[in-house]
Amino acid sequence: MIATFQCSSAKLSQLPADGLPEIAFIGRSNVGKSSLINMLTDRAGLAKVSATPGKTRLINHFLIDNSWYLVDLPGYGYARASKSEKEKFAKIITDYILKAPQLHYLFVLVDSRLEPQKIDLEFIDMLGANRIPFGIIFTKSDKQSADKTASNVARFSRVLRETWEELPPMLITSSAKKQGGEKVVEFIKKLLILSD
Ligand code: GTP
Ligand code: MG
């Protein structure tokens, strides 16, 4: 896979206008969106990563094989951001998700260590209400045993089943250990073939 940085956008009018399909990553600040993009593209440092939440502040497009984009978004729920900053990010994110003409699919990243978080569940419900196609990626699986990850995923699934008849696709990754990336890429490639 050949990956190059294409552009950073602060609003919809700045997005690429070439009509190529976009696959985007969203989730709480610090959940590992940028790290995942680096793992998928096998390019450490392509997307900027930081131990401090709130690192990605714009919509970043990475062109893949000259034919589609991976899109890194700012995170939601960064507690230490000021109210006006939070509102600015929330607007960037929701504008992109609800209105970007080439957004084909969204991955919601969820920290595999945590019990289901209200902010993630609310975000997922908002996607459902707006009929945005999405899958869930449970990140940072290296932080605990495979059993613990599986039980957290099962717990999340149980909560989703309370409101969803059908569960979204779910994948598990560790960017630190470079695990689960091939499955994500395979999944995306199938999506792109289907939408050709
Ligand atoms: P924002 O841009 O601030 O919204 O964050 P982000 O979701 O892009 O997270 P980022 O990729 O910057 O990673 C946040 C922190 O988590 C960094 O310190 C990463 O090194 C760490 N991290 C990301 N993925 C993993 C993982 O799979 N395992 C472990 N152990 N750490 C990870
Ligand atoms: Mg980031």
Side-chain angles (χ1 to χ4, degrees), residues 58-112:
L58 295 165
I59 303 166
N60 293 306
H61 278 66
F62 301 97
L63 180 62
I64 310 298
D65 295 338
N66 262 313
S67 55
W68 53 281
Y69 289 109
L70 281 177
V71 180
D72 194 11
L73 294 169
Y76 53 75
Y78 174 35
R80 299 232 314 268
S82 68
K83 186 160 180 263
S84 67
E85 258 190 325
K86 269 193 217 166
E87 280 164 6
K88 194 174 86 194
F89 288 135
K91 179 163 166 45
I92 292 179
I93 295 167
T94 44
D95 266 4
Y96 178 79
I97 287 169
L98 300 180
K99 298 182 205 150
Q102 296 306 329
L103 175 62
H104 277 229
Y105 200 80
L106 189 66
F107 286 104
V108 180
L109 276 57
V110 171
D111 191 324
S112 68

Side-chain angles (χ1 to χ4, degrees), residues 29-35 50-51 54-56 75 140 142-143 175-176:
S29 218
N30 210 47
V31 71
K33 300 173 292 294
S34 301
S35 302
S50 166
K55 178 67 180 175
T56 307
K140 306 193 183 184
D142 57 283
K143 294 263 196 181
S175 302

